[in-house]
Amino acid sequence: MVPTTSTLSPSSSHHSALVGEQRHAMKVGGTAFLWLSFQTLGIIYSDIGTSPLYVLNGIWPSGGPIPSKEDVIGGVSAVIWSLALVPLIKYVLITLRFGTIEGEGGTFALFHGIFPPEYHSPDDDRTLTGGSALDKSVSTQSSAERLAPLKWVLLPWTLFGTALTLSDGMLTPAVSVTSAVGGIAVTRPSVADSITGISIAFLVPLFLVQQFGTHRLAFAFGPITCIWFLLLAGTGIANIVSYPGIFRAFDPSRAIMLFVRTRNYDYLAGILLAVTGCEALFANLGQFTMGSIQLTFAAFVFPSLVLAYLGQGAKLIADPENIIENVFYASIPGGRGSALFWIVYVVAILATMITASFSVVQQLINFRSLFPLRMVYTSEVVQGQIYIPTINYLMMIGTIALVGAFQNLTNLTNAYGFAVSTVMIITTTLVALQCHYVKMLPWIVAVAFFVIFGFIDALFWGASLKKVPHGAWVTLMLGVLIAAVLVFWTWAKGLEDRFDGANRKNLRQFLVLDDAIVRAKGDTTRVVSTVGHVGSLSEGLPRTKTVEEDEIEDLSATPSHKLWLVSEDEKQEKSELARLPICAVFHKLSSGRGVPHTFYGFLRQWPALPRVTIFLSVRIVNVPRVHIQQRYTVTKVRSLEGFYGVTYALGFRDKFNVQIGAIIDRICILETRSGANDEGDAVQRIHEIRTAAEHSTHIVPYYHAVSKGVGFGGFLQPAFALIRKIMIEDIYSRISAIFPEMVNSADTERTIHVGINATI
């Protein structure tokens, strides 16, 4: 069979490594691994690391009765074993192993591990005629097929957890900064009423510095957070001396006896605050590696936290009347107002950092569950380290509003605990499903994980649920509202994507050559495409096979260049399409074979074809920058003159800048090789191509969504149809226009936006 396309790749395997495979989890070793591990301190652990500021007062409020010695030992025991069971064992040792192939973590990543999105190769993107428009790329769908009936149950459940993680992104700095600033009231009671204003003054610059990116912030905050944990460990050791008997807290029976003796279930709501931030360990996986997080938490963070809680418990037993007011600050060695007190106070404020939200939003955008937002890649090494301006400023406004509205740390921590415990349950559910359906582990393993950790999570969730009337209702409201937006966008965007897939066309379905075309009958010629110098690339890139040898059809006869547009229903007569001496770059915004339905709509509106028609697909690759000579892979459609599929390999730190000249150069090289049997014809085609390229236009497609109505509801069908129409046409369609698909691309000159109706 004679092939219908020929391809020119930027020489050999290095380029195919750029665009041929999906992004994979980062792997580092040696000093790079140690440096990355150190960076995690400044980004991930500000949440769980600042918990000692408020945990023991969350269990025993300053205005409540003084706890007995046995109660303190039991409470500290419960805190230590909660840290061991939830963050250390459940998250660090187990859950971190369940990230996606790209290295992303979080509840949404767990969902897409069970229901992996369809993957299209770059060759599919450039295939404009071969195969059916409905061909699907090969992907591993075994778990998705077996759990298909549960997908629309698990999706809202997962998105609710994701929404709570975003809410947690606002509550984390609110609670941490307010707790840290509250220490000033220990030595300056007169300013107690000004804590809210002081907290907001610290929060604003905290959000403003996010634009410098994870790498720079980790460089700045890593040492600060390291000092913070050293202070926690040091003050803990100093305080343990006041009551060495606190080591009995390592006996888990002390924690159990606390609840047997007091029958106070509400203690769990305060103990829960010790494990807040455990979800950030998993959600930030895309910015670091599993090993770097495991090393820092197990070897440094966990021991420091344990020593801090032991020291606070010992001091509370030794001097309860003076310590209960503010356990953390009052237990600092040297007393209130000492030099160490102010050092700890300053470091506590500086150790606060925003975590996870940007990574979570990036996942939502990439998996089309949130409208596109401009993302800024801030690292030259790690693709997952990003900054999203819109999210940052929305979180800043939300955090300030929470601090201003609550003006009470107890209510803030109530809201905080509910978000954390709910996400913990959702994570346990999804990991248990992955154990059997994705990791192919025996059922007993999945059931054991769900029963053990589900029981622990349920205990915490039950305690936090009782706090809904006392502040947790805010988290519940935020979670429901954000989840509703995410579910709505996933549903509407899914309808549009299915419309696009069902209506994607093979070029030859609606474009035909003049009937008088005469094809030469001859042998095929084998041509080797090796053009351009390949620059050096980073090691560790994924590899895939590239097309280096192409069978080229012998077209020594002179073809007619007349093309005809055939209507979809084939009832109308075909119309001739004039060929204009220009170059048009048609942007393909979704992956897959064929051309988008919007191209057919474009020809119906403007019945003319450019001499050079380029269908451009963009691939963000796992290197920061791509050399100009390696950016473009070109495929020529042999059966239709003047059509080319192009893959644009873009480094995650590169600016979107389509260089028509570079694409045309590669097209001309391909034409030269294709016309090896007729040099004169090849020269003529190249002249026409270069002349057309002097006038180039970018064509960006979009759909205008139109509701197709509903087929259910009985006598309420008109009402359901109206609601669906409002959701699709008045809400989704307008938001899509505000947040276009190319939001992360630079504006290009001479751009035409072409839209057609999509009945979904």
Side-chain angles (χ1 to χ4, degrees):
M1 180 177 178
V2 178
T4 59
T5 64
S6 57
T7 302
L8 182 66
S9 300
S11 73
S12 75
S13 61
H14 284 294
H15 178 267
S16 57
L18 282 172
V19 298
E21 295 186 6
Q22 296 170 278
R23 169 189 162 200
H24 287 264
M26 178 177 55
K27 295 180 180 180
V28 294
T31 56
F33 172 75
L34 294 177
W35 172 241
L36 190 68
S37 299
F38 182 75
Q39 286 183 314
T40 64
L41 293 176
I43 301 300
I44 296 179
Y45 300 116
S46 62
D47 191 348
I48 197 169
T50 54
S51 294
L53 287 166
Y54 46 79
V55 167
L56 293 194
N57 275 125
I59 302 173
W60 300 289
S62 58
I66 294 175
S68 67
K69 178 179 69 175
E70 289 301 319
D71 285 355
V72 173
I73 294 174
V76 173
S77 178
V79 168
I80 291 173
W81 281 99
S82 296
L83 281 171
L85 291 171
V86 180
L88 180 61
I89 297 177
K90 176 186 171 182
Y91 279 92
V92 173
L93 298 183
I94 299 177
T95 306
L96 285 180
R97 302 178 185 275
F98 288 79
T100 63
I101 190 173
E102 296 88 359
E104 295 289 347
T107 54
F108 202 57
L110 287 172
F111 175 82
H112 281 286
I114 301 171
F115 301 97
E118 186 177 323
Y119 172 71
H120 296 276
S121 74
D123 291 339
D124 287 336
D125 293 344
R126 295 193 306 275
T127 301
L128 308 179
T129 58
S132 168
L134 298 178
D135 284 350
K136 291 185 179 293
S137 297
V138 177
S139 61
T140 303
Q141 295 290 333
S142 58
S143 62
E145 291 172 356
R146 286 184 286 175
L147 289 174
L150 293 177
K151 182 174 182 178
W152 282 99
V153 175
L154 291 174
L155 180 60
W157 177 242
T158 302
L159 290 176
F160 181 57
T162 305
L164 289 175
T165 302
L166 294 175
S167 301
D168 183 49
M170 292 181 283
L171 288 165
T172 295
V175 173
S176 298
V177 171
T178 303
S179 301
V181 171
I184 198 173
V186 175
T187 57
R188 302 286 190 275
S190 59
V191 301
D193 295 335
S194 304
I195 289 177
T196 299
I198 298 172
S199 299
I200 292 174
F202 279 111
L203 283 169
V204 172
L206 175 65
F207 281 95
L208 293 180
V209 300
Q210 297 301 310
Q211 61 186 300
F212 296 110
T214 301
H215 179 73
R216 293 180 180 176
L217 291 175
F219 183 81
F221 284 84
I224 294 172
T225 310
C226 182
I227 294 171
W228 169 252
F229 283 115
L230 290 174
L231 286 171
L232 288 181
T235 56
I237 293 172
N239 287 331
I240 289 172
V241 175
S242 62
Y243 185 75
I246 193 64
F247 282 115
R248 285 185 292 164
F250 283 115
D251 179 2
S253 66
R254 300 289 177 173
I256 297 173
M257 291 306 299
L258 169 69
F259 295 99
V260 172
R261 184 172 56 255
T262 64
R263 300 183 183 276
N264 191 341
Y265 184 49
D266 289 343
Y267 281 158
L268 273 177
I271 295 167
L272 170 64
L273 299 177
V275 300
T276 55
C278 57
E279 187 65 28
L281 304 178
F282 186 40
N284 277 291
L285 182 60
Q287 301 190 56
F288 302 99
T289 64
M290 178 181 69
S292 64
I293 298 173
Q294 289 176 331
L295 175 64
T296 50
F297 186 84
F300 185 54
V301 174
F302 178 73
S304 299
L305 291 174
V306 169
L307 289 172
Y309 289 119
L310 287 172
Q312 289 182 22
K315 201 69 175 178
L316 183 58
I317 292 173
D319 188 12
E321 290 80 7
N322 293 321
I323 300 298
I324 192 66
E325 178 186 356
N326 189 311
V327 176
F328 177 81
Y329 281 108
S331 63
I332 294 175
R336 307 177 186 188
S338 65
L340 182 59
F341 178 94
W342 291 111
I343 291 173
V344 172
Y345 177 76
V346 172
V347 175
I349 295 173
L350 295 178
T352 303
M353 180 50 56
I354 302 167
T355 64
S357 297
F358 298 146
S359 295
V360 171
V361 172
Q362 182 188 33
Q363 292 178 39
L364 291 170
I365 294 173
N366 289 343
F367 290 122
R368 304 173 83 79
S369 289
L370 184 65
F371 38 81
L373 297 169
R374 187 172 72 90
M375 292 186 288
V376 180
Y377 293 88
T378 60
S379 171
E380 290 284 345
V381 179
V382 185
Q383 186 175 354
Q385 295 183 357
I386 61 168
Y387 166 69
I388 305 176
T390 302
I391 296 300
N392 185 58
Y393 293 119
L394 286 175
M395 287 177 56
M396 181 177 71
I397 294 170
T399 302
I400 292 173
L402 287 173
V403 173
F406 276 103
Q407 296 191 7
N408 184 299
L409 182 59
T410 301
N411 289 341
L412 265 177
T413 54
N414 289 339
Y416 196 25
F418 179 80
V420 172
S421 60
T422 306
V423 175
M424 284 163 51
I425 290 179
I426 295 172
T427 297
T428 298
T429 304
L430 296 174
V431 170
L433 289 172
Q434 274 218 35
C435 280
H436 180 70
Y437 289 104
V438 179
K439 302 295 185 181
M440 300 301 174
L441 297 174
W443 264 112
I444 188 65
V445 176
V447 172
F449 179 88
F450 181 77
V451 170
I452 294 172
F453 293 105
F455 175 73
I456 296 171
D457 296 340
L459 288 176
F460 284 128
W461 188 77
S464 64
L465 189 63
K466 296 178 66 176
K467 303 296 183 180
V468 169
H470 307 289
W473 64 270
V474 174
T475 306
L476 181 61
M477 179 188 68
L478 286 174
V480 170
L481 290 177
I482 297 174
V485 172
L486 299 179
V487 171
F488 165 72
W489 192 264
T490 303
W491 167 72
K493 195 65 179 177
L495 293 177
E496 184 179 287
D497 288 343
R498 283 195 290 273
F499 175 87
D500 179 80
N503 291 277
R504 190 173 293 144
K505 292 180 175 296
N506 181 324
L507 272 177
R508 290 178 300 194
Q509 288 180 329
F510 59 92
L511 290 180
V512 296
L513 289 168
D514 187 88
D515 294 334
I517 186 170
V518 177
R519 294 182 177 273
K521 297 180 180 180
D523 297 331
T524 61
T525 305
R526 185 172 292 277
V527 178
V528 180
S529 302
T530 55
V531 179
H533 170 71
V534 180
S536 62
L537 292 175
S538 301
E539 295 183 358
L541 293 174
R543 305 284 178 175
T544 188
K545 183 179 179 181
T546 185
V547 181
E548 293 187 39
E549 295 189 345
D550 306 289
E551 292 185 347
I552 307 299
E553 184 179 358
D554 185 355
L555 296 177
S556 56
T558 302
S560 167
H561 291 304
K562 289 184 179 180
L563 282 172
W564 302 79
L565 177 66
V566 179
S567 64
E568 287 183 298
D569 55 15
E570 298 185 354
K571 294 181 180 179
Q572 302 178 12
E573 293 186 2
K574 59 184 179 182
S575 55
E576 182 180 351
L577 297 173
R579 298 302 292 263
L580 305 178
I582 62 172
C583 171
V585 179
F586 200 98
H587 293 255
K588 291 182 68 175
L589 301 183
S590 57
S591 298
R593 296 186 174 202
V595 297
H597 188 57
T598 46
F599 179 66
Y600 177 79
F602 169 74
L603 294 181
R604 292 292 302 270
Q605 295 180 50
W606 292 283
L609 273 175
R611 171 63 182 85
V612 179
T613 304
I614 298 169
F615 288 88
L616 183 77
S617 300
V618 180
R619 288 274 169 159
I620 306 296
V621 297
N622 196 25
V623 292
R625 304 185 191 281
V626 179
H627 193 277
I628 181 79
Q629 293 179 341
Q630 295 179 310
R631 287 181 185 170
Y632 305 103
T633 301
V634 179
T635 296
K636 171 183 169 62
V637 178
R638 301 297 297 152
S639 54
L640 295 173
E641 186 68 27
F643 286 87
Y644 307 89
V646 176
T647 299
Y648 177 20
L650 191 67
F652 59 82
R653 288 275 283 171
D654 282 330
K655 291 187 180 297
F656 185 87
N657 181 22
V658 180
Q659 296 174 301
I660 299 298
I663 297 176
I664 294 300
D665 287 343
R666 307 203 70 79
I667 288 175
C668 291
I669 294 171
L670 189 58
E671 291 288 354
T672 300
R673 297 181 182 279
S674 302
N677 295 336
D678 189 341
E679 184 177 346
D681 182 58
V683 171
Q684 176 63 27
R685 287 203 302 269
I686 290 172
H687 174 71
E688 292 177 3
I689 290 169
R690 291 201 178 277
T691 301
E694 294 176 1
H695 306 281
S696 61
T697 301
H698 292 266
I699 301 172
V700 179
Y702 68 92
Y703 287 120
H704 177 71
V706 178
S707 178
K708 65 179 180 181
V710 297
F712 60 87
F715 70 94
L716 293 176
Q717 183 175 348
F720 287 130
L722 178 61
I723 294 172
R724 193 179 194 277
K725 180 180 179 182
I726 292 173
M727 294 173 68
I728 294 293
E729 299 180 15
D730 295 337
I731 301 177
Y732 172 74
S733 191
R734 293 185 180 182
I735 295 176
S736 296
I738 297 172
F739 299 97
E741 291 281 354
M742 296 185 68
V743 69
N744 285 316
S745 304
D747 292 333
T748 55
E749 297 180 357
R750 301 177 184 176
T751 298
I752 299 175
H753 294 271
V754 177
I756 64 170
N757 288 341
T759 303
I760 60 177

